[in-house]
């Protein structure tokens, strides 16, 4: 094992084995593999780079309409915010799984959830091949549903709590946006292109021929 690799869980080892089998089959059929994964630290940095251009305009609109500032954190408010945030982190992954399951060959059976202990990061993994836009839809929907939509609603309802949650969830989706940006920047001149979640890293694998 190289220094950059981490110890995999039993579920990750199982997915890795399944992936290697699919990879062997696809390569035998003339496909080439392209790795579009990213590091966790890079994903966290890019979360701010990509998230801030979204949350800052929303913040300006909210302050202009509300004129009352953001959510004030007293003790009970902090507890409520923390509980809500933890719950939405779980829901975030469930939304990934729900939308990818719609398109996956085996639907919900193709979806696995887990927790990466080394980076304290929950994850959702789709074990089936997807098209480019199917992967994008499943990748962006948690940020839209839990981040952008609540923030926009909060601007009109003047809910400080809802707006703050929405802004935080936009930042929480920054890793997803980073992966999707890398996917959109990748241009292929091949006729057949398949996309698959990496079995244990952050990002995806492209098979093309």
């Amino acid at each position: 094992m190289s220094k950059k690799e981490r110890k995999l869980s039993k579920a990750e080892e199982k997915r890795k084995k399944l992936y290697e089998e699919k990879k062997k089959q696809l390569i035998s059929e003339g496909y080439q593999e392209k790795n579009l994964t990213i590091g966790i630290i890079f994903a966290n940095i890019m979360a701010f780079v990509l998230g801030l251009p979204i949350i800052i305009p929303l913040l300006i609109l909210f302050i202009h309409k509300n004129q009352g500032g953001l959510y004030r954190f007293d003790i009970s408010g902090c507890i409520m915010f923390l509980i809500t945030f933890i719950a939405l982190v779980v829901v975030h992954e469930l939304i990934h799984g729900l939308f990818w399951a719609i398109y996956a060959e085996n639907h919900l059976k193709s979806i696995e959830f887990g927790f990466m202990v080394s980076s304290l990061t929950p994850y959702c993994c789709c074990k089936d091949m997807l098209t480019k836009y199917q992967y994008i839809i499943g990748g962006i929907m948690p940020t839209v549903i839990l981040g952008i939509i609540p923030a926009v609603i909060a601007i009109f309802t003047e809910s400080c709590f809802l707006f703050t949650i929405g802004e935080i969830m936009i930042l929480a989706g920054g890793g997803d946006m980073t992966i999707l940006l890398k996917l959109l920047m990748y241009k292929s001149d091949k006729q057949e292109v398949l996309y698959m979640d990496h079995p244990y890293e952050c990002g995806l694998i492209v098979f093309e021929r």
Side-chain angles (χ1 to χ4, degrees):
M1 179 180 292
S2 67
K3 291 183 179 180
K4 293 184 179 180
E5 291 182 330
R6 60 182 175 81
K7 182 176 177 59
L8 303 181
S9 67
K10 291 183 179 180
E12 289 170 330
E13 288 283 4
K14 186 177 179 180
R15 289 199 303 271
K16 181 181 179 181
K17 183 178 179 180
L18 177 63
Y19 162 73
E20 293 293 346
E21 292 172 354
K22 288 186 177 181
K23 174 183 173 180
K24 183 178 180 180
Q25 178 184 347
L26 288 169
I27 289 179
S28 70
E29 294 174 359
Y31 284 88
Q32 294 180 329
E33 177 194 32
K34 302 292 182 181
N35 191 316
L36 297 185
T37 59
I38 61 174
I40 294 295
I41 295 177
F42 177 72
N44 290 335
I45 294 173
M46 288 300 295
F48 286 91
V49 174
L50 298 178
L52 287 177
I54 300 175
I55 68 174
I56 290 177
L58 291 172
L59 177 61
I60 293 172
L61 289 172
F62 180 81
I63 293 176
H64 175 72
K65 181 159 180 34
N66 187 46
Q67 297 182 358
L70 292 179
Y71 185 69
R72 293 181 175 85
F73 288 91
D74 55 21
I75 295 178
S76 61
C78 285
I79 295 173
M80 179 61 68
F81 184 88
L82 181 60
I83 293 173
T84 302
F85 174 73
I86 293 173
L88 290 182
V89 167
V90 175
V91 174
H92 178 109
E93 301 305 326
L94 291 175
I95 293 173
H96 278 313
L98 175 63
F99 278 90
W100 280 330
I102 294 173
Y103 304 113
E105 180 180 357
N106 296 305
H107 303 295
L108 287 175
K109 292 181 180 179
S110 301
I111 307 301
E112 283 191 4
F113 301 96
F115 189 82
M116 195 178 298
V117 178
S118 60
S119 58
L120 300 178
T121 305
Y123 66 82
C124 169
C125 182
C126 179
K127 297 181 290 184
D128 280 345
M129 300 292 177
L130 299 168
T131 67
K132 182 176 184 178
Y133 293 102
Q134 289 171 351
Y135 192 93
I136 290 174
I137 290 172
I140 198 63
M141 276 302 170
T143 303
V144 172
I145 294 174
L146 301 179
I148 295 175
I149 291 177
V152 171
I153 291 174
I155 291 173
F156 294 98
T157 61
E158 301 184 6
S159 171
C160 296
F161 184 88
L162 181 61
F163 182 80
T164 305
I165 284 292
E167 295 280 76
I168 293 297
M169 294 311 296
I170 290 173
L171 286 178
D176 296 331
M177 289 189 283
T178 304
I179 294 170
L180 297 181
L181 178 61
K182 188 167 186 175
L183 172 57
L184 290 170
M185 291 177 64
Y186 179 77
K187 304 299 181 182
S188 175
D189 58 355
K190 306 298 183 181
Q191 292 183 344
E192 297 181 38
V193 186
L194 300 172
Y195 302 84
M196 180 181 180
D197 245 358
H198 194 284
Y200 55 89
E201 295 294 350
C202 185
L204 68 153
I205 301 294
V206 178
F207 289 97
E208 55 187 20
R209 69 174 177 180

